[in-house]
Amino acid sequence: MSSRLYSDTPRNGLLRAGNDFLEFFKRWPVIPIVILIFLVAIAVFAPIVTAHEPLDGNLRHRLLPPVGQEGSMSTHILGTDHVGRDVFSRVAYGSRVSLMVAAVALLTGTTLGTLLGLIAGYFGGLVDELISRIVDIWFAFPFLMLALLIAAVVGQGMTTLMGLLAILIWSSYVRYVRAEVLTLRERDYIALARVAGASTWRILLKHILPGVTNTVVVVATLRAGQLVLAEAALSFLGAGLPPPTPTLGSMISDGRDYLREAWWIAVCPGVAIFLMVMSLNFLGDWLRDRIDPRLRQL
């Protein structure tokens, strides 16, 4: 009996270790975080990890396939495009542009939307009605059509692109933050702050803003992937950064005419966009489940 128990112990230990390993992956978004860190590291350290400049072309090496296929070169691991530019270098620098534009637009849109949501929820009345109607009107506008119109009138550029992406997401924050503030402003500690003589802005920033921070963080994480996708869509349609600046969307646009003979020109940046957006979305879903007490999984 004791010998049988002894022989089963290693197997039971392996089963417990396997269950703990699976439970760890269920509780924490390990794979999305690893993928996101990998993509961010490549984008940030693009000058170090790439062996070629993204704008340097060599017609003798045009349309080289990725490493592992017939006719490939070890110096171009993801192949080259139709003018001989290294695809890996362009994906790395394009990811840097996408992340930088999305980060600035996210910060700007989050600040504007959160501020308007605080004002609308706290003051109520005519102010709330005005801001809410502006948000409703904004949601009715077709964003891509408006972005193309603004890009055609103002011109392409980094500032224009960041502004377009910022105005894409600000309205979402207004609705979420306003709903939270409508509840928080009736709490006892807000009434005590008014009695104590606290100013309106002190109440908003000191007492109410911390109560909506969790909501703002979750919305920002969920909207980050949307911004990356929107930047790629605008670049694909020609409303993003002007050439020859490498962007993931413009690379897909350049490669659509070579899908049969050089699929890697469009597929490689497309895979980068897919991994980036999915990682951010999974991370946002996990963060929402952890922060929201109604969805928290223990």
Side-chain angles (χ1 to χ4, degrees), residues 122-139:
Y122 183 78
F123 290 101
L126 181 61
V127 175
D128 182 22
E129 187 71 19
L130 179 61
I131 295 177
S132 298
R133 297 294 77 78
I134 292 175
V135 171
D136 292 338
I137 294 172
W138 178 252
F139 272 115

Side-chain angles (χ1 to χ4, degrees), residues 63 80-82 87 251-252 254-255 258 262-269:
L63 300 182
T80 60
D81 62 6
H82 56 289
V87 172
M251 290 180 65
I252 297 176
D254 293 339
Y258 300 90
W263 53 266
W264 54 89
I265 301 177
V267 170
C268 289

Side-chain angles (χ1 to χ4, degrees), residues 153-294:
V153 174
V154 178
Q156 296 173 284
M158 183 73 73
T159 304
T160 303
L161 183 59
M162 290 179 180
L164 289 173
L165 295 180
I167 63 177
L168 169 64
I169 64 166
W170 70 274
S171 52
S172 300
Y173 291 93
V174 176
R175 287 188 169 181
Y176 286 109
V177 173
R178 172 186 173 274
E180 292 285 340
V181 174
L182 287 175
T183 302
L184 292 176
R185 71 178 185 178
E186 305 299 331
R187 300 290 177 87
D188 292 339
Y189 68 91
I190 301 298
L192 292 174
R194 293 196 191 100
V195 172
S199 64
T200 300
W201 285 107
R202 180 177 176 81
I203 294 175
L204 285 174
L205 301 179
K206 183 72 174 179
H207 300 286
I208 294 182
L209 181 59
V212 302
T213 300
N214 290 345
T215 300
V216 172
V217 171
V218 172
V219 175
T221 310
L222 293 173
R223 291 294 179 268
Q226 180 186 1
L227 287 176
V228 173
L229 199 59
E231 186 276 330
L234 292 177
S235 298
F236 179 85
L237 295 174
L241 297 181
T245 304
T247 61
L248 298 178
S250 62
M251 290 180 65
I252 297 176
S253 179
D254 293 339
R256 61 183 173 177
D257 295 330
Y258 300 90
L259 287 176
R260 291 184 180 273
E261 63 270 24
W263 53 266
W264 54 89
I265 301 177
V267 170
C268 289
V271 171
I273 294 173
F274 170 78
L275 293 176
M276 200 179 302
V277 173
M278 291 302 296
S279 298
L280 290 169
N281 287 344
F282 278 121
L283 184 60
D285 288 338
W286 174 83
L287 196 61
R288 179 189 58 187
D289 294 339
R290 298 292 295 183
I291 290 179
D292 193 337
R294 295 169 298 181

Side-chain angles (χ1 to χ4, degrees), residues 86-104:
D86 184 67
V87 172
F88 176 70
S89 299
R90 292 180 63 78
V91 169
Y93 280 88
S95 300
R96 169 187 277 193
V97 171
S98 297
L99 291 173
M100 181 178 65
V101 170
V104 175

